[in-house]
Amino acid sequence: MLLILAVAAALRLYGVDFGLPALNDPDEPLFVMTALEMLRNHSLNPGWFGHPGTTTLYCLALVSLAVGGLGIATGRFADGKALMAAAYADPGIVFLPGRLFIVACGILCVWLTWSLGKRLGGTRLGLIAAAFLAVNAVHIHYSQIIRTDVQATIFMLLCTRSAVAIAREGRARDYLMAGLWAGLACATKWPAAIIFLNPLCAGLCRVTLDRRELRRLALLPVATLAALLIASPYLLLDYATVMRNLAGEARTTHPGATGGGFLANLGWYAGHPLLGSFGIAGLALVVAGTLGTLRRPRIAAAVLPGGLAFLVVIGSQALLWERWIVPVLPFAALAAAAALCWLADWLRTRLDRPLRWLELAATALLLIPMLQAARTGAIERAVDTRQVASAWIRAHVPPGSSIVVEPAAFDLLQGPWRILFPLGSAGCVDARAILTGQIRYSKVETLRSGRAVVDLAHVDAAQIPTCHADIAILSHYDGYRADPAHFPQELDSYARLLRGGRQLAAFHPEPGVRTGPVVRIMKLRP
């Protein structure tokens, strides 16, 4: 297990600083800026509840506090204001420690998968499941990004461990702990609350055998609600902001992420993130292991309902995001490991031979394509189209030029150009000026006015003239072009800005070489 954890750590630490100081993930700034704002305001109110993300935001605030304390103690920063100024100039100062925290969460997921597998089917099953998750390309990717998905997975696994304990022993402590973890899961990511079904179904199975179990089962919802409100009290205290944020998250379209209905969405999740990270044989084992678990009704009731319901929830959404499958991955790894163990035992019985090496050999064969997928993902993240575009700018654009950028191109801010950034109702603003002024995320939210994306397509029409520059770096344009039926207004905004201009360069993602959106560098009309 120590070897598996070491491999998991190495894979997640390798290239964890990808993109920095530029910010390739559009949501990372939301979490870090919100955490910094809590520190700056000396407040426990995050002021944002879209995920709701409360536990992640509190942890990031503590990480940033530790960075500042260490920096002040070592003389790198004079005080908290100096830390803020340095972070706005070089985001890596606080973003990299935040990513390392998420890496730690990813490694903990691997350990918890082993622990849960050991309880379900012994050490053999736990080790195989942990190995599958340790090298899973999708889990590695999102263990390197500051988001809520991996931390929510921790609480979902802990809740399921307690559900298994309920199925077997049914102690009052198990119900209380299951409620605690379910509440924390909900406080981290709204859909993760569905894991509540695991201890609930485990408890209901016990009730069918003994009606007195109802008194203990009643502890479960009480503990869940109490944990949620203790972890995130401002869900009640700042109810108006909660409702406003939830309304902003309820979108039906998004460039490059618009779904196609329930069955099409489930097919996409199966055929892309699951198949791509487990391989054909691995995915077949996932299905077989899930179906095989039904032979043990009490264990199935403690493990399957939450994961399957989570799949139904994300499949029924209007949008598709690869990251939404992250909490399912440990359960898929457990199912694949269970199927592999059952198959090995069946072969031993049929052949009447010990074949002690069978699981090890089969696991090694299955891990080969998974490791290749993980390696390819690491190579692609290390070379992003946005950083390639920045390198082109440094080589070809003369000093003194003005550049309007859609990506968060912090890697260009120290160059000899005037950098403009689109910001909704404010039009295109001078990036250095707003960063020097340490703009608050609440201000960004006000200016974006609920728009799904901060880009040139969502600048108010009256403010389009403020976006005129010598050069434009477009990273969202092709996402709208791929779905013109849903985004006619956005494409019209681009048409007005780009009329009379010409393309200087374009950088496309290449499998196995680089990732990122299609980035176009345009020379705008005089």
Side-chain angles (χ1 to χ4, degrees):
M1 189 57 211
L2 288 175
L3 176 62
I4 291 172
L5 289 175
V7 171
L11 291 172
R12 284 156 179 78
L13 288 170
Y14 178 77
V16 70
D17 60 342
F18 69 91
L20 295 175
L23 304 176
N24 292 338
D25 187 90
D27 286 339
E28 278 193 313
L30 182 156
F31 294 105
V32 175
M33 287 181 70
T34 303
L36 289 175
E37 213 155 296
M38 282 194 288
L39 295 177
R40 181 158 55 183
N41 296 338
H42 306 289
S43 171
L44 291 175
N45 184 1
W48 183 84
F49 306 94
H51 283 203
T54 306
T55 56
T56 303
L57 291 170
Y58 284 159
C59 289
L60 289 173
L62 290 173
V63 169
S64 299
L65 193 63
V67 170
L70 182 62
I72 292 170
T74 57
R76 185 174 182 184
F77 310 120
D79 52 27
K81 290 183 179 179
L83 166 66
M84 292 289 184
Y88 274 83
D90 179 6
I93 292 171
V94 289
F95 277 76
L96 184 56
R99 287 184 183 180
L100 292 175
F101 163 70
I102 301 299
V103 165
C105 291
I107 297 169
L108 181 55
C109 284
V110 175
W111 185 87
L112 287 171
T113 301
W114 166 77
S115 176
L116 181 56
K118 187 177 178 182
R119 296 184 182 204
L120 292 172
T123 302
R124 175 182 59 160
L125 192 155
L127 288 173
I128 295 172
F132 285 156
L133 188 65
V135 303
N136 185 278
V138 174
H139 198 269
I140 292 169
H141 180 196
Y142 290 99
S143 295
Q144 295 182 324
I145 297 176
I146 300 172
R147 301 192 59 87
T148 55
D149 307 275
V150 174
Q151 191 176 22
T153 305
I154 290 174
F155 298 126
M156 294 174 73
L157 286 168
L158 287 167
C159 183
T160 303
R161 279 207 323 172
S162 295
V164 172
I166 289 171
R168 289 178 172 164
E169 301 167 10
R171 297 169 298 183
R173 183 181 69 182
D174 299 325
Y175 286 102
L176 289 172
M177 293 305 297
L180 168 66
W181 303 130
L184 289 174
C186 183
T188 307
K189 195 170 182 70
W190 293 114
I194 204 76
I195 203 65
F196 177 84
L197 289 177
N198 281 352
L200 176 64
C201 291
L204 289 174
C205 283
R206 295 190 65 85
V207 169
T208 60
L209 302 175
D210 185 355
R211 304 290 292 183
R212 292 174 296 179
E213 194 78 21
L214 275 172
R215 287 177 294 180
R216 293 178 179 172
L217 182 60
L219 295 173
L220 180 62
V222 174
T224 301
L225 185 60
L228 172 62
L229 295 180
I230 291 172
S232 189
Y234 289 93
L235 292 176
L236 285 180
L237 300 176
D238 197 0
Y239 182 75
T241 302
V242 174
M243 299 309 295
R244 187 167 59 251
N245 293 153
L246 286 176
E249 292 288 313
R251 308 183 190 104
T252 57
T253 60
H254 195 285
T258 303
F262 179 70
L263 293 179
N265 291 354
L266 288 183
W268 184 87
Y269 284 114
H272 287 80
L274 287 176
L275 180 61
S277 61
F278 280 98
I280 296 175
L283 186 56
L285 287 174
V286 171
V287 175
T290 302
L291 295 175
T293 304
L294 297 174
R295 297 181 305 170
R296 303 166 66 191
R298 292 180 66 179
I299 293 300
V303 177
L304 291 184
L308 294 177
F310 191 88
L311 272 177
V312 171
V313 168
I314 64 174
S316 61
Q317 300 301 303
L319 303 181
L320 288 169
W321 294 110
E322 183 184 68
R323 60 180 177 266
W324 284 354
I325 203 70
V326 167
V328 176
L329 297 177
F331 297 96
L334 287 163
L340 182 60
C341 291
W342 296 332
L343 182 60
D345 290 340
W346 178 79
L347 281 173
R348 288 191 182 96
T349 302
R350 289 294 300 269
L351 299 175
D352 194 24
R353 301 177 70 178
L355 299 177
R356 294 186 179 89
W357 48 264
L358 190 57
E359 288 92 343
L360 180 62
T363 301
L365 288 174
L366 289 166
L367 290 180
I368 291 173
M370 296 179 70
L371 279 166
Q372 181 59 37
R375 177 178 176 273
T376 299
I379 292 171
E380 291 176 350
R381 284 192 296 278
V383 185
D384 192 282
T385 52
R386 287 158 287 199
Q387 276 71 71
V388 175
S390 292
W392 190 95
I393 291 291
R394 286 191 288 269
H396 295 91
V397 176
S401 301
S402 57
I403 307 173
V404 59
V405 300
E406 286 189 320
F410 280 83
D411 48 349
L412 294 178
L413 282 178
Q414 304 306 317
W417 312 286
R418 180 171 180 252
I419 305 297
L420 301 175
F421 187 74
L423 202 53
S425 60
C428 289
V429 298
D430 187 296
R432 284 195 189 90
I434 62 170
L435 291 171
T436 301
Q438 298 179 25
I439 187 171
R440 296 170 182 261
Y441 195 78
S442 56
K443 179 69 171 177
V444 175
E445 281 290 281
T446 300
L447 294 173
R448 69 188 288 183
S449 303
R451 297 172 174 89
V453 186
V454 178
D455 58 17
L456 288 166
H458 290 90
V459 171
D460 284 2
Q463 297 287 356
I464 287 290
T466 66
C467 299
H468 188 77
D470 299 314
I471 301 292
I473 304 178
L474 308 180
S475 56
H476 295 168
Y477 181 42
D478 280 72
Y480 295 116
R481 290 178 66 192
D483 192 4
H486 283 113
F487 303 106
Q489 293 181 349
E490 288 81 357
L491 288 171
D492 185 59
S493 295
Y494 280 111
R496 289 199 304 272
L497 179 69
L498 300 178
R499 191 175 292 120
R502 61 186 176 89
Q503 181 172 291
L504 298 177
F507 305 99
H508 297 257
E510 298 179 31
V513 178
R514 63 190 181 204
T515 189
V518 176
V519 179
R520 299 185 185 275
I521 299 178
M522 308 293 295
K523 173 72 174 177
L524 301 184
R525 67 184 182 277

